[in-house]
Amino acid sequence: MNHHGNADLEAPRRESRLAMARELLALLEAGDDEAADQQLVAMCGEMDSALFHEVGRLTRELHEAMNGFLLDDRVSEIALHEIPDAAERLRYVITTTEQAAHATLNAVERSLPLAEELRDGAEALGEAWDRFRGRRMTITDFKSMSQDISAFLDLARGHSSALQTQLSEVLMAQGYQDITGQIIKRVIELVEDVEKRLVNLVRITGDRYQRGGDHTDPSVLEGPVVPGVVSGNVVHGQDDVDDLLSSLGF
Amino acid sequence: MHTTSGLSITTNEREAPLDKNMKILIVDDFSTMRRIIKNLLRDLGFTNTHEADDGNTALPMLKGGGFDFLISDWNMPGMTGIDLLRAVRADPSLATMPVLLVTAESKREQIIEAVQAGVNGYVVKPFTAATLEEKINKIFSRVAA
């Protein structure tokens, strides 16, 4: 495992082995076979114990790593509760933003005809008013215009206060940003927590997993482009689309 | 009166810029986006608009007849916009209908794929009212040409 530390560890071990080998040589040259045998057994034992020591260390490390990961309360908490909760929260974000969009659209759809009526009324009156200023109006038309003016003032009063109500609805509908912002922030924190733990797991298991590489499947729809998130060969805005289309003969 | 193909609109209305009565199908899985497009079209004078929430609901409506123009999203559950476009081009009674894709999908390969499938216009979300109007005008001036 740890190849960097070997040079330091090897030096004293090599010294002790050399010493043992010299002793063995001396015993053999002296013809003391019994002592030489004992010396050989001692040397093999030293080798075995180093191997057992290393295997033991690796086993202990693996055991601790597995226990550390499996017995981490946070991991089971995340898997059992927080991720399902996060999914539920994000679904709520979709519902809330959808409701806000519909509330805004409702107000806009109610406002547009009011604005249209105001414009039409002002246009009709403007026409009559021009005739009056140009002294091209009969007394009967003038009477009818004064009635129209009264009616228009009533209409303007009513419509502008109705428009005010609709604009307040639009204003209030924007409250979704605060709510969904807070919910999304919580989910981001969870994602970052999970990321940290996954990185740790990858670290524990060593470099067996190849990192990097382009894993994007061309057939998968990517949805909206998010600034800061690299999403491959994408166009940026309608002008880019138009350029591409015209290069294709459109 | 409505025609079943984009080409015959122009033979009926060669002088008029656009048939404001043409029957338009808006396909998007988000109801808010359908409402936005419907409102923009109404601003442009097109009031004969209908809605579907994916290709599977849109296709029978189109086959039912009378539609002059299809505006569709790409990414929808069920049948996607690109599959709907292919189904439209494969159906002899619908094959010439102008189709505008309005989508957040913005990979170059996808735009090329849409062109190869026979799309008439491609608008990326988010878009403006002016862009939508410009693309619709372009599609129908091209169909008329």
Side-chain angles (χ1 to χ4, degrees):
Chain A
M1 282 273 290
N2 196 345
H3 296 287
H4 302 290
N6 277 6
D8 308 330
L9 285 174
E10 284 297 302
R13 199 185 288 168
R14 196 177 298 121
E15 276 306 312
S16 105
R17 281 184 200 166
L18 261 172
M20 289 175 98
R22 280 192 199 103
E23 210 182 320
L24 176 64
L25 192 66
L27 289 170
L28 284 173
E29 279 172 349
D32 189 347
D33 288 342
E34 201 177 323
D37 280 354
Q38 277 175 4
Q39 181 67 9
L40 261 174
V41 169
M43 284 177 78
C44 290
E46 199 259 350
M47 282 297 291
D48 283 349
S49 83
L51 181 67
F52 286 140
H53 179 76
E54 183 68 5
V55 169
R57 191 181 61 78
L58 282 173
T59 309
R60 200 166 51 247
E61 267 186 23
L62 182 64
H63 182 74
E64 276 167 16
M66 294 302 285
N67 274 351
F69 186 73
L70 292 174
L71 297 179
D72 188 341
D73 284 346
R74 279 290 294 142
V75 173
S76 59
E77 175 64 20
I78 285 171
L80 290 175
H81 302 293
E82 295 196 16
I83 286 186
D85 279 0
E88 200 46 54
R89 289 197 180 107
L90 291 179
R91 260 180 236 119
Y92 179 68
V93 167
I94 295 181
T95 315
T96 310
T97 51
E98 189 185 1
Q99 281 168 353
H102 277 300
T104 306
L105 284 163
N106 287 339
V108 168
E109 284 177 2
R110 282 194 286 257
S111 300
L112 286 173
L114 300 177
E116 234 164 86
E117 265 188 75
L118 284 171
R119 189 200 53 206
D120 291 349
E123 255 171 30
L125 270 184
E127 221 173 88
W129 185 245
D130 283 347
R131 272 192 292 136
F132 170 74
R133 302 233 306 170
R135 297 166 196 280
R136 287 177 277 112
M137 185 172 268
T138 64
I139 189 74
T140 344
D141 282 356
F142 178 75
K143 278 181 184 158
S144 132
M145 183 182 75
S146 349
Q147 276 172 359
D148 289 347
I149 288 176
S150 300
F152 181 71
L153 289 175
D154 283 345
L155 181 108
R157 217 173 287 129
H159 279 18
S160 49
S161 81
L163 281 172
Q164 230 161 5
T165 309
Q166 297 309 322
L167 287 174
S168 317
E169 297 266 328
V170 172
L171 185 81
M172 294 314 293
Q174 306 314 305
Y176 78 91
Q177 162 63 22
D178 174 33
I179 308 289
T180 58
Q182 292 186 47
I183 294 170
I184 292 171
K185 226 183 250 173
R186 294 272 305 273
V187 176
I188 290 172
E189 280 166 16
L190 173 64
V191 170
E192 285 171 345
D193 192 9
V194 171
E195 181 195 19
K196 222 164 53 198
R197 271 152 220 286
L198 286 179
V199 166
N200 212 20
L201 180 64
V202 170
R203 196 182 53 73
I204 285 168
T205 54
D207 289 329
R208 267 173 287 159
Y209 300 103
Q210 292 208 331
R211 65 195 70 174
D214 189 6
H215 299 300
T216 51
D217 178 349
S219 66
V220 172
L221 296 174
E222 301 245 340
V225 176
V226 180
V229 177
V230 184
S231 39
N233 195 10
V234 297
V235 295
H236 299 282
Q238 189 65 38
D239 288 346
D240 256 13
V241 177
D242 294 347
D243 286 349
L244 179 58
L245 288 178
S246 69
S247 78
L248 294 168
F250 247 65
Chain B
M1 94 171 225
H2 302 296
T3 53
T4 47
S5 83
L7 283 170
S8 44
I9 295 170
T10 55
T11 53
N12 291 344
E13 307 255 333
R14 191 172 288 278
E15 299 306 314
L18 265 180
D19 175 10
K20 297 286 185 180
N21 267 324
M22 72 169 140
K23 193 171 170 185
I24 305 173
L25 184 62
I26 304 163
V27 191
D28 199 307
D29 52 330
F30 278 85
S31 57
T32 46
M33 185 45 71
R34 293 200 301 270
R35 281 184 78 178
I36 290 169
I37 294 175
K38 198 179 164 80
N39 273 291
L40 289 174
L41 289 173
R42 202 193 46 217
D43 273 358
L44 298 175
F46 302 100
T47 49
N48 194 5
T49 50
H50 301 260
E51 299 178 33
D53 62 4
D54 85 325
N56 288 329
T57 38
L59 198 55
M61 290 172 79
L62 291 168
K63 288 188 175 177
F67 282 97
D68 302 305
F69 184 29
L70 170 62
I71 299 179
S72 178
D73 184 22
W74 183 320
N75 192 356
M76 295 177 289
M79 189 195 243
T80 63
I82 194 81
D83 288 338
L84 177 63
L85 170 61
R86 292 199 180 103
V88 163
R89 290 290 175 256
D91 184 315
S93 70
L94 302 172
T96 57
M97 176 181 296
V99 177
L100 175 66
L101 277 177
V102 178
T103 171
E105 300 305 325
S106 45
K107 282 205 288 200
R108 286 173 192 280
E109 298 82 19
Q110 289 173 317
I111 298 169
I112 294 165
E113 188 184 350
V115 168
Q116 284 165 348
V119 81
N120 300 81
Y122 199 103
V123 172
V124 282
K125 295 175 186 171
F127 60 97
T128 64
T131 303
L132 187 68
E133 180 176 20
E134 184 199 323
K135 299 311 162 199
I136 292 174
N137 286 335
K138 199 168 172 190
I139 285 172
F140 284 96
S141 67
R142 186 183 297 275
V143 168

